[in-house]
Amino acid sequence: MSRDRGSRRLPVIITFIVGLMLTVMPLPESVEAFRPDWLALVVIFWAMQLPRTWSVGSAWMIGIVLDVSYGTLLGQHALALCVVAFATVRFHLLMRVFPLSQLSATIFALLALYQFILFWVNGVAGVSAPTITYWAPVITGTLIWPFLFMFLSGVRYRSRSGR
Amino acid sequence: MVASRGNNSNPARIPALGLRVLALMIISIVLMYLDHRQNHLDGIRQGIGAAVYPVQIVVDAPVRLWKWLGESTTSRNQLELELGRLQAERLLTNARLQRLTALEAENARLRALLDARTTVRDEIRVAEIMAVDANPYEHNLVIDIGSREGVYDGQAIVDADGVVGQVIRTGIMTAQAVLISDADHALPVEVNRNGLRTIAVGTGEIDRLDLPFLPNNADIRTGDLLVTSGLGGAFPSGYPVAIVDSVTRIPQEPFADVTATPAAALGQVREVMLIWSAPPVTEESVE
């Protein structure tokens, strides 16, 4: 049983690791500000598809890892990600039947919530205010969502049949 | 209210989700508070940082491979050219170094005459920058040595041309450093020509520093070299920081508008040097 669960979890963990790689990968300065929040998107996907296994707890742990690799306040990304995961799990049944347009709007709202929590914590902690491009990942994230969704769905069904 | 509506027979219901998220939020806030107030959490940070290290290695790998490929496929001709250039450069530097030894000795003698403390030579070690982008809202870089090699928070980092930045977070095998061009970074400097002291503040642009605290009548010109003054304790004194490239004096403003270009190639460095400045020898420690 536990072995079976482990083999089902492994593909998901790999997607998280790849997400982390994309997050820390160096980009040219001109496009750096538009880097989507890969990990937030991956967390939303798995919280939507497998909410029993991947919900707030795992989102929180990924947030802590993100905090360490970014060097932000310990708990900042953890807080944002676990709130986003919570919202996703609460509405996961609804989100599964949404058409793409509505789903994109929901993703936009979730990413905006994510960035807003980070922004808010920065404000409370007195970290210098970022520019308008701070909100760019929300838009790029929404635009990239359909592709990521297809890709991760592929991962999901492949890993399921391989079980 | 909403959480209590669902009944247990609903298969889509996740047990105690609201409670869990509440607990995690409280833990996050406590963690942030502790992290913001004091540095008790450095151990946790280092532990998780070590776990993230393999990811950084993997991300860095393609860049390293590319560099290695480039190195191993350069033609013999090019290598010979490079070798010739380096040898010439070495001769020049050596010639300069000879004078430096003499000057250092002279300096020590003069200082002894003045009864001042002798400056001790700083220890230097080369570190390589990892191709890892740690935080998009900060000008920073990750280097491939950490506390295992004795790196500490606040340590100065220079390259061949000047000051690059300082270490802000030390992991076990890596360390994160903030560049002098970061908008939150300020560095005590002095004008090499006349010893005028001021502060160079990062602007968030990689090729520009601001000197916001110079009065209109300050003796500063375009082309002046700014060096670290050693005040503030983080940086050893005398390392080049930037060259003044514009001085605008507006009569009704209290301060002149002075900008400078960093001496180090902040955007291009691949190898940097870490400085262990020797602690000043005090009377007590001599006895």
Side-chain angles (χ1 to χ4, degrees):
Chain A
M1 171 71 192
S2 69
R3 193 167 167 201
D4 185 38
R5 280 177 67 134
S7 71
R8 244 186 305 167
R9 278 179 192 214
L10 191 64
V12 182
I13 292 171
I14 290 172
T15 60
F16 282 132
I17 292 174
V18 173
L20 184 61
M21 283 177 184
L22 289 171
T23 307
V24 299
M25 198 176 69
L27 285 180
E29 198 149 352
S30 48
V31 291
E32 199 185 323
F34 298 95
R35 185 205 302 268
D37 298 308
W38 293 107
L39 278 176
L41 289 169
V42 177
V43 162
I44 291 171
F45 179 85
W46 291 117
M48 191 175 128
Q49 300 293 343
L50 304 168
R52 285 185 175 274
T53 331
W54 304 98
S55 68
V56 292
S58 44
W60 189 82
M61 280 189 274
I62 289 158
I64 288 286
V65 170
L66 209 47
D67 279 324
V68 170
S69 57
Y70 270 178
T72 43
L73 279 180
L74 211 56
Q76 182 177 7
H77 286 82
L79 175 70
L81 271 183
C82 92
V83 170
V84 165
F86 172 70
T88 313
V89 173
R90 274 230 58 71
F91 299 114
H92 73 279
L93 285 181
L94 213 54
M95 283 167 70
R96 281 187 197 166
V97 296
F98 270 164
L100 187 63
S101 57
Q102 259 172 306
L103 186 57
S104 293
T106 317
I107 298 298
F108 183 85
L110 286 172
L111 290 177
L113 173 71
Y114 174 72
Q115 288 291 49
F116 179 76
I117 295 171
L118 297 180
F119 183 70
W120 177 70
V121 173
N122 275 346
V124 172
V127 179
S128 64
T131 49
I132 187 78
T133 54
Y134 179 78
W135 301 97
V138 178
I139 294 162
T140 47
T142 312
L143 292 178
I144 218 144
W145 169 259
F147 306 102
L148 189 75
F149 183 85
M150 280 191 283
F151 174 74
L152 288 177
S153 300
V155 170
R156 189 184 166 205
Y157 289 110
R158 192 151 306 166
S159 70
R160 183 188 269 175
S161 61
R163 173 159 67 102
Chain B
M1 174 190 76
V2 184
S4 63
R5 199 192 53 200
N7 47 8
N8 289 334
S9 61
N10 183 351
R13 217 180 110 75
I14 314 295
L17 184 68
L19 209 64
R20 266 155 65 197
V21 84
L22 199 68
L24 289 173
M25 280 169 77
I26 291 169
I27 296 174
S28 307
I29 290 167
V30 170
L31 272 179
M32 281 190 276
Y33 179 79
L34 288 177
D35 201 22
H36 192 51
R37 286 293 144 138
Q38 52 253 323
N39 299 331
H40 289 331
L41 302 174
D42 280 356
I44 303 176
R45 232 176 230 291
Q46 287 203 350
I48 304 171
V52 179
Y53 182 62
V55 172
Q56 293 183 325
I57 289 282
V58 171
V59 171
D60 189 40
V63 181
R64 237 163 237 258
L65 185 72
W66 185 248
K67 197 182 160 204
W68 179 79
L69 273 178
E71 274 168 6
S72 52
T73 54
T74 29
S75 66
R76 193 193 149 84
N77 222 344
Q78 239 172 332
L79 282 176
E80 273 169 0
L81 272 178
E82 176 95 8
L83 193 68
R85 198 179 57 77
L86 285 176
Q87 265 168 355
E89 209 175 285
R90 181 167 162 269
L91 267 179
L92 265 176
T93 350
N94 265 354
R96 255 186 238 143
L97 257 182
Q98 286 172 14
R99 288 204 43 219
L100 182 72
T101 346
L103 282 176
E104 242 173 25
E106 186 182 338
N107 194 328
R109 221 169 38 243
L110 289 173
R111 276 180 178 272
L113 280 181
L114 288 169
D115 234 7
R117 286 196 306 249
T118 348
T119 47
V120 190
R121 253 201 214 192
D122 303 324
E123 199 183 319
I124 288 179
R125 195 184 151 158
V126 176
E128 206 157 311
I129 295 175
M130 298 179 76
V132 172
D133 193 6
N135 188 340
Y137 309 113
E138 230 176 43
H139 282 186
N140 63 14
L141 43 86
V142 179
I143 54 173
D144 66 346
I145 60 177
S147 60
R148 218 172 39 169
E149 278 89 352
V151 178
Y152 57 90
D153 283 3
Q155 190 168 16
I157 296 181
V158 300
D159 76 351
D161 303 313
V163 174
V164 171
Q166 77 188 99
V167 176
I168 41 172
R169 282 175 282 268
T170 324
I172 297 168
M173 280 160 289
T174 58
Q176 243 185 69
V178 63
L179 299 183
I180 52 172
S181 61
D182 185 87
D184 281 338
H185 194 262
L187 175 66
V189 294
E190 63 184 29
V191 178
N192 198 31
R193 183 166 52 85
N194 55 11
L196 174 72
R197 283 193 301 271
T198 183
I199 289 175
V201 182
T203 55
E205 287 167 52
I206 203 125
D207 54 355
R208 205 161 67 88
L209 299 179
D210 265 351
L211 279 71
F213 307 116
L214 282 170
N216 263 330
N217 58 0
D219 178 15
I220 190 159
R221 308 177 204 146
T222 311
D224 274 348
L225 177 68
L226 303 169
V227 299
T228 50
S229 67
L231 297 176
F235 284 89
S237 61
Y239 285 89
V241 176
I243 292 160
V244 176
D245 58 13
S246 86
V247 180
T248 317
R249 296 189 166 91
I250 305 163
Q252 56 271 48
E253 296 285 326
F255 293 112
D257 188 8
V258 185
T259 61
T261 313
L266 294 182
Q268 295 142 27
V269 281
R270 179 79 199 164
E271 265 153 8
V272 291
M273 284 168 280
L274 273 82
I275 303 177
W276 277 264
S277 36
V281 185
T282 51
E283 297 291 315
E284 292 85 24
S285 61
V286 169
E287 282 163 9

